[in-house]
Amino acid sequence: MPSWVFVICVTAALMLTAAAYAVAWMWPRRTPDGRSVAEIQQRVREERSEMDTAVWPVGYPHDAPDRPMGELEAQRTMQRHRSCRVGECPRKTVAWRTLVAAGRITPDSGRTY
């Protein structure tokens, strides 16, 4: 048998062995207490959909405020909710509108808010 055939056979055997180990290493395993990641994710989705929002504290962080915001409160709200988007977060939307009305923010005319 020529040496290049031997090298190809050995390389193929090593690659198949490595592939088998990779599959075994990446194969989904169960957590020690018997729950898989998929089961945990499903449980979290169910818990979020079943949340009773009536028991949240007044002024929950992303709910619209019950009273008009002052400029200082609107500025602080914009800082606290900087990762939120105007229009998606009711509290940030109220703060945005307050600052626009006060002339503290000038909306970009090329965007729709």
Side-chain angles (χ1 to χ4, degrees):
M1 169 162 51
S3 63
W4 63 271
V5 174
F6 179 73
V7 170
I8 290 175
C9 288
V10 169
T11 304
L14 288 173
M15 289 178 71
L16 284 172
T17 304
Y21 275 111
V23 168
W25 180 68
M26 295 173 69
W27 196 264
R29 293 191 261 297
R30 291 183 128 356
T31 54
D33 60 351
R35 285 174 281 188
S36 70
V37 173
E39 290 170 332
I40 294 171
Q41 290 173 337
Q42 177 64 30
R43 185 174 140 213
V44 168
R45 276 193 296 274
E46 289 171 0
E47 286 176 359
R48 285 185 180 162
S49 67
E50 294 170 358
M51 283 177 34
D52 182 11
T53 57
V55 297
W56 285 349
V58 175
Y60 192 72
H62 299 283
D63 288 348
D66 296 336
R67 56 182 173 65
M69 272 190 192
E71 285 182 45
L72 182 60
E73 183 182 3
Q75 282 181 322
R76 289 187 176 147
T77 299
M78 291 291 286
Q79 291 170 351
R80 277 190 223 109
H81 293 261
R82 69 176 175 256
S83 63
C84 299
R85 291 178 177 251
V86 174
E88 291 179 5
C89 174
R91 188 168 291 269
K92 184 169 184 172
T93 302
V94 170
W96 171 264
R97 290 181 182 156
T98 299
L99 293 175
V100 167
R104 303 292 298 267
I105 291 179
T106 306
D108 182 5
S109 60
R111 295 185 186 181
T112 56
Y113 294 99

